[in-house]
Amino acid sequence: MATQKRILVVDDTPENVRLVAMLLKKFGYVVSYALNGHNTLEYVKKHHFDLILLDVMMPGLSGYEVCEKLKQNRNSRDIPVIFLTARNDSESITKAFKAGGVDYITKPFNAEELQVRINTHLKIKEQREELAQANAA
């Protein structure tokens, strides 16, 4: 049996974290959370995550800055980051992809769409890892 996938939810609004965590747990994921960018970077140093859901607007480090730092680090650069935010303007979306995000979902979101997008990016990550192992062999 496959191991449960670990997802880190990052949002400075505890109600948003609770809602997303509740949904993800229903879908069978192991969920951790961080309420700001600095905590996110510390958690990622200490724990393995298969995917990160990241808000844009947070005090201290913005979601863009957090994503850029994750992508600069050898140990976290391959973790898919999906931005989950209320910002829906094209400049914000473009900035998120330039920072290293793999997807962008606006709030309010559709739970089924969120699950499908997460599954897609987890599958892509798994396939990349398998290819890397095959190339190494």
Side-chain angles (χ1 to χ4, degrees):
M1 186 177 145
T3 60
Q4 286 185 298
K5 299 297 183 185
R6 294 180 50 85
I7 298 179
L8 178 62
V9 178
V10 183
D11 196 309
D12 62 321
T13 306
E15 298 80 37
N16 292 344
V17 171
R18 273 193 291 277
L19 171 67
V20 174
M22 185 180 69
L23 283 171
L24 295 178
K25 286 177 183 176
K26 275 189 200 172
F27 298 146
Y29 300 113
V30 176
V31 181
S32 298
Y33 69 92
L35 297 174
N36 64 56
H38 294 290
N39 285 352
T40 301
L41 298 174
E42 287 304 310
Y43 284 180
V44 171
K45 283 181 192 174
K46 297 174 185 170
H47 305 283
H48 165 79
F49 294 102
D50 295 293
L51 187 135
I52 298 172
L53 292 175
L54 182 60
D55 188 22
V56 169
M57 299 175 289
M58 297 184 294
L61 293 175
S62 72
Y64 306 124
E65 293 168 310
V66 171
C67 189
E68 287 169 354
K69 288 180 184 302
L70 290 168
K71 297 305 170 182
Q72 291 166 3
N73 184 311
R74 185 175 61 84
N75 296 322
S76 60
R77 69 176 169 220
D78 294 330
I79 302 170
V81 175
I82 298 176
F83 282 89
L84 183 60
T85 180
R87 297 188 74 130
N88 62 2
D89 59 287
S90 60
E91 185 180 324
S92 295
I93 296 168
T94 302
K95 192 171 180 178
F97 283 111
K98 285 181 177 177
V102 296
D103 209 340
Y104 195 96
I105 302 170
T106 55
K107 298 173 193 169
F109 60 89
N110 174 288
E112 190 174 355
E113 179 185 351
L114 177 65
Q115 181 185 17
V116 170
R117 288 178 184 239
I118 287 171
N119 286 339
T120 297
H121 290 292
L122 289 172
K123 207 172 287 178
I124 291 168
K125 180 179 184 272
E126 197 172 287
Q127 290 170 343
R128 280 192 180 138
E129 290 168 353
E130 289 170 3
L131 281 173
Q133 288 175 353
N135 284 338

